[in-house]
Amino acid sequence: MAVKKEDKYPAARRYQVADIQVSREATAVKPNVVVNLVKKAKHPVLVTGGQLLKDPKLVEFAVKFHEKGIPIIATGGSSKPLIEKGVKPQSAVFPLHYVTQFMLDEEWQGFDGKGSYDVVLYLGFLPYYLSRMLSALKHFSKITTISLDEFYQPHAKFSFTNLTANKEMHYQMLEEVVNNL
């Protein structure tokens, strides 16, 4: 079910108000923009985090992304529910810090050996944990980062707005992205 026009998207506000060391903030995007970015990408990937262990709906969305041809890098124990659903992640052993370090290496060919990733989607991370990794990628790589979590991430290139007050809208936005890929 798509987000209706009459449903207003909340303003893009930081989840952590003290996180002000941002030189350029993320662009708050609607689902159709995410779809266009992923469709234009040469080598996209979805990185999943530990929140998938707490939210089965996020697992369902990750599985749908995989079914649409988006490879998955599972971190923080998120590989367990994905493997149980029949998804084989490209990597399931590295924490987000290591994955970020790999992505910062311009010569790294990705976990699949097909070259570095150009668009990286993030789903299932706590805001303070992901924020530092996105900051490193923003300042030291050319990778387009997109946060699909319910928390606005100012260090991503693109992010959903802060949807903590409306979890159903967050799910609707994820559904719209997956359905239009």
Side-chain angles (χ1 to χ4, degrees):
M1 181 171 131
V3 178
K4 299 176 189 116
K5 282 186 178 180
E6 59 269 10
D7 290 338
K8 293 191 175 193
Y9 292 97
R13 291 193 178 97
R14 294 181 187 94
Y15 178 72
Q16 293 178 296
V17 292
D19 193 8
I20 57 173
Q21 66 276 19
V22 180
S23 59
R24 34 182 213 276
E25 289 199 14
T27 303
V29 292
K30 295 178 182 175
N32 61 328
V33 175
V34 174
V35 170
N36 290 337
L37 289 166
V38 173
K39 283 183 175 179
K40 290 179 183 174
K42 293 178 183 145
H43 198 198
V45 68
L46 173 67
V47 181
T48 59
Q51 293 301 102
L52 270 71
L53 297 168
K54 297 178 181 177
D55 190 344
K57 285 196 125 186
L58 292 181
V59 175
E60 291 174 27
F61 287 117
V63 169
K64 288 178 183 179
F65 274 103
H66 187 263
E67 289 170 351
K68 295 285 185 162
I70 307 295
I72 294 178
I73 298 171
T75 68
S78 64
S79 61
K80 183 177 190 246
L82 292 172
I83 291 169
E84 288 171 353
K85 297 275 187 179
V87 173
K88 185 174 183 329
Q90 287 187 353
S91 171
V93 296
F94 294 107
L96 183 60
H97 288 81
Y98 285 21
V99 172
T100 302
Q101 288 299 314
F102 293 146
M103 289 182 183
L104 288 169
D105 181 356
E106 293 178 6
E107 295 177 14
W108 185 58
Q109 293 299 302
F111 286 110
D112 56 4
K114 296 180 181 175
S116 57
Y117 304 105
D118 58 343
V119 172
V120 182
L121 305 156
Y122 292 91
L123 180 65
F125 290 96
L126 294 172
Y128 52 85
Y129 183 56
L130 182 57
S131 177
R132 301 302 97 202
M133 303 305 107
L134 290 171
S135 179
L137 289 168
K138 174 174 72 173
H139 292 294
F140 304 108
S141 78
K142 295 177 183 172
I143 297 171
T144 300
T145 55
I146 305 171
S147 173
L148 301 177
D149 284 325
E150 62 187 309
F151 310 101
Y152 172 71
Q153 282 287 357
H155 290 288
K157 180 134 179 149
F158 300 98
S159 177
F160 279 170
T161 188
N162 197 2
L163 299 164
T164 54
N166 192 345
K167 202 142 180 93
E168 282 309 310
M169 183 180 275
H170 179 231
Y171 294 145
Q172 288 174 359
M173 290 173 74
L174 287 169
E175 188 74 39
E176 194 172 331
V177 170
V178 169
N179 288 341
N180 292 302
L181 283 177

